Amino acid sequence: MSKKYLLTFAATAAVLALTACGQSGTVGAQDQETASGTVSITHAQGTQDVPVNPKKVYTFDLGVLDTLDVLEVPVAGVPQANLPEALQEYASKDLTNIGTMKEPDFEAISAGAPDLIIISGRTAGSYAELSKIAPTIDLSVDAKSPIESFKTVSASLGKIFDKEAVVAEKIKAIDAKIADTKAKAPAAGTGLIVLTSGGELTAYGAGSRFGLIHDVLGVPTATDVKGEGSHGEAISHEFIAKANPGSLYVIDRDVATGESAGAAKAVLDNPLVKGTDAAKNDRITYLEPASWYLVGYGLNNVDAMVGAIAGSVAKA
């Protein structure tokens, strides 16, 4: 083939390529992101360009870990202390132990050279320092709009790991379960959420870290609770008796953190609690501690959380 022919062929190809671009219009922002191998993610502390399908992912958020497990996305580093049974495979020595959910091991993280670091509320204060090591995003879920926020976080993960269709399918199933539970919840009567820790009692109401029960699933509140967000209101057995909930939802923090087992039942073994409608009608539900206290908003875990309340409501 002559040199003249090659030059003519190349010129023709270039013209055809330019014509095709003109016909298809301007490349969209998402196409540009994909072409460059990054995607822009808006998170709790700003906006960050992160690599698409990053190879080495570290996450401090167990809800995110739960979602990545559903999406079959490999994770290279997690805080390995107090992992719940459902996520025990991530305690493997093949993974990097990146510290605790509150205290990152910056040395281990830096040495591991991750491509993406994911944090949330407990680690939010370390955002600036972690961002110096690798692209970091804060995927905290807003307790005041938990499901909407959870969906946004899930969609972001779907976008990063090219799993948007899987995320959409899971969310659709969760929405259906929420709608069914919410329709039945009012008829089941009022509810009170109580966390036990070291023999002490704390109540959580609407808008709190466990407010999903009231705000999303429609269980009416038995009484006003002053505490908000991650901090509940310190209460007594008298408080529970006065509220007289139709259902009592109990989270045993000592079990979640591995400090002791069965403490919640001992704390609530009290005549005042036994006199409530919840106790008399066998409607005290001991929620899975790690699921509610540690894991929170993951695709598998939210389905399980909603299922637990649906089971309670069905007893009415």
Side-chain angles (χ1 to χ4, degrees):
M1 187 179 292
S2 70
K3 183 176 181 181
K4 180 179 179 181
Y5 180 84
L6 286 172
L7 289 171
T8 302
F9 179 80
T12 301
V15 171
L16 289 172
L18 288 171
T19 302
C21 287
Q23 290 174 340
S24 60
T26 303
V27 178
Q30 187 170 352
D31 294 331
Q32 290 175 336
E33 290 168 346
T34 302
S36 64
T38 64
V39 62
S40 181
I41 298 297
T42 299
H43 59 96
Q45 299 195 48
T47 300
Q48 175 67 52
D49 289 338
V50 304
V52 175
N53 286 317
K55 292 182 179 179
K56 185 176 281 190
V57 179
Y58 288 176
T59 179
F60 284 92
D61 186 277
L62 298 188
V64 168
L65 181 61
D66 177 74
T67 292
L68 296 182
D69 189 70
V70 173
L71 300 180
E72 298 182 343
V73 171
V75 174
V78 300
Q80 294 183 320
N82 297 322
L83 284 173
E85 185 176 349
L87 298 173
Q88 270 301 309
E89 65 182 279
Y90 294 97
S92 168
K93 292 181 180 179
D94 295 332
L95 275 67
T96 300
N97 185 0
I98 57 177
T100 70
M101 284 184 280
K102 291 185 177 181
E103 298 180 1
D105 184 338
F106 294 105
E107 186 176 344
I109 295 167
S110 182
D115 299 303
L116 175 64
I117 302 171
I118 302 172
I119 63 172
S120 60
R122 291 182 175 96
T123 330
S126 299
Y127 172 73
E129 194 67 25
L130 290 169
S131 293
K132 296 176 183 177
I133 299 173
T136 301
I137 52 177
D138 182 351
L139 296 186
S140 298
V141 168
D142 184 355
K144 293 185 178 180
S145 54
I147 289 299
E148 291 79 3
S149 183
F150 158 65
K151 288 178 180 179
T152 299
V153 166
S154 299
S156 293
L157 293 170
K159 192 174 181 182
I160 294 169
F161 298 100
D162 196 23
K163 300 279 188 176
E164 290 170 286
V166 180
V167 170
E169 182 181 353
K170 294 288 184 181
I171 291 296
K172 183 178 179 180
I174 290 171
D175 277 341
K177 186 177 286 190
I178 287 173
D180 183 63
T181 305
K182 188 174 183 178
K184 298 174 181 176
T190 64
L192 179 65
I193 309 163
V194 173
L195 180 139
T196 65
S197 177
E200 302 295 326
L201 295 166
T202 306
Y204 289 82
S208 73
R209 64 185 297 182
F210 307 122
L212 167 80
I213 293 172
H214 300 305
D215 304 325
V216 177
L217 299 178
V219 175
T221 55
T223 187
D224 289 335
V225 177
K226 296 177 182 177
E228 296 181 356
S230 60
H231 302 288
E233 177 182 355
I235 63 168
S236 62
H237 295 109
E238 287 79 7
F239 181 96
I240 297 174
K242 185 177 179 179
N244 190 26
S247 296
L248 192 59
Y249 298 100
V250 184
I251 301 164
D252 191 332
R253 180 184 179 278
D254 295 332
V255 171
T257 58
E259 295 176 30
S260 65
K265 289 186 177 181
V267 174
L268 294 173
D269 186 10
N270 176 279
L272 290 170
V273 176
K274 290 180 179 178
T276 62
D277 288 345
K280 289 187 288 188
N281 295 319
D282 192 27
R283 293 179 57 79
I284 298 179
T285 301
Y286 290 89
L287 300 171
E288 208 290 312
S291 176
W292 287 79
Y293 187 76
L294 294 178
V295 181
Y297 291 90
L299 282 174
N300 257 346
N301 201 54
V302 168
D303 184 71
M305 291 164 74
V306 174
I309 306 307
S312 169
V313 167
K315 292 180 181 180

